Amino acid sequence: VPVFLFVAAPYIRRYVAGGRCKSTARLDGKVVIITGANTGIGKETARDLAQRGKVIIACRDIAKGEAAAREIRAETGNQQVIVKKLDLADTKSIREFAEKFLAEEKELHILINNAGVMFCPYSKTADGFEMHLGVNHLGHFLLTFLLLERLKQSAPARIVNVSSLAHHGGRIRFHDLHGEKRYHRGLAYCHSKLANVLFTRELARRLQGKFQRQAEFTANALHPGSVYSELVRHSFVLTWLWKIFSFFLKTPYEGAQTSIYCAVAEELDSVTGQYFSDCQPAYVSPRGRDDETAKKLWSVSCELLGIQWD
């Protein structure tokens, strides 16, 4: 068995690594925002895109963000890697980030909603939203709303939402969105990832027909794969399992490939409202294809955030 594993190891790793983004597309003169890009797949996405154009790392921990930015600047030679404060668990912080960005930058071509929390003990955001729903869905929903006009003005533009295979286990529990009646940290994560898929679907539907060419504005979601990263830090069991089985998990670099693909691949110029995994279209759960739920979630999200988004 040890001999077999030694021989098979490279093939197993190649299979686990999954698809690679092969696009060499440049982003000269273009601006990219990546949320949560101070660590994990967000950082690796920033590292790749910084070789192509200007990248803004939007994260809660400025010190970690600056450390990541320094590393990426040194490696790529691109000084246009900028860190901005953004706490997705606080709508005030989201609004402040958007206000400053709009004042400083005249264009925005790619928005990658990457940041996320996973398996948190029950807690609420500054605005009283359950943490998974608040950060993973509502925070990005508000951020996208606030930046949408700048994206439209800069078209062709893309919105990339990092979801997960976990959306298959999710449900939108409108009667208990904030988990006050019943809470399970694993299911709460699944629910929020389903919300990412539904948001992407409804956003793409609403954007269709608004432009002369659909290639001018697209929105897609993706599953990065099972990645060895800090995302499981709230679960002792998963942290332990992740260490034991790290050989069978993607590295952050491998996990970032589909995000990069959705952001730059030329063949996706006119593809919108889709879900990808390993740099190719992937199966969406029936709940993730429910247009009525998507429309209702959109309406409820607007209501919770106190915005009008028609």
Side-chain angles (χ1 to χ4, degrees), residues 115-120 131-132 135-136 189 192-193 231 233-234:
V117 293
M118 183 179 185
F119 297 174
C120 300
M131 190 60 70
H132 292 91
V135 171
N136 297 353
Y189 176 72
S192 71
K193 294 290 103 180
L231 193 59
R233 63 187 178 276
H234 292 293

Side-chain angles (χ1 to χ4, degrees), residues 94-110:
I94 299 168
R95 290 181 180 279
E96 286 175 354
F97 169 86
E99 190 177 323
K100 288 178 182 175
F101 173 83
L102 294 172
E104 294 169 3
E105 301 286 345
K106 299 309 172 193
E107 292 188 306
L108 174 60
H109 303 89
I110 301 170

Side-chain angles (χ1 to χ4, degrees), residues 276-293:
F276 294 85
S277 177
D278 283 329
C279 300
Q280 59 187 9
Y283 179 73
V284 179
S285 74
R287 290 194 180 111
R289 288 178 270 123
D290 188 330
D291 289 332
E292 289 310 307
T293 301

Side-chain angles (χ1 to χ4, degrees), residues 165-240:
L165 183 69
H167 85 270
H168 285 269
R171 292 180 63 188
I172 306 301
R173 303 173 67 247
F174 290 108
H175 65 287
D176 188 25
L177 270 180
H178 304 295
E180 293 167 328
K181 296 176 183 174
R182 188 180 62 176
Y183 180 76
H184 183 285
R185 62 174 76 184
L187 288 177
Y189 176 72
C190 294
H191 301 334
S192 71
K193 294 290 103 180
L194 174 59
N196 293 154
V197 171
L198 292 170
F199 168 44
T200 306
R201 188 178 182 88
E202 181 63 8
L203 177 60
R205 186 189 71 80
R206 286 168 175 260
L207 290 172
Q208 278 182 327
K210 298 284 179 71
F211 299 90
Q212 290 181 333
R213 296 180 299 109
Q214 185 52 53
E216 291 183 352
F217 206 137
T218 63
N220 290 297
L222 66 101
H223 167 56
S226 297
V227 181
Y228 189 65
S229 73
E230 295 178 13
L231 193 59
V232 296
R233 63 187 178 276
H234 292 293
S235 170
F236 172 78
V237 174
L238 269 185
T239 300
W240 183 70

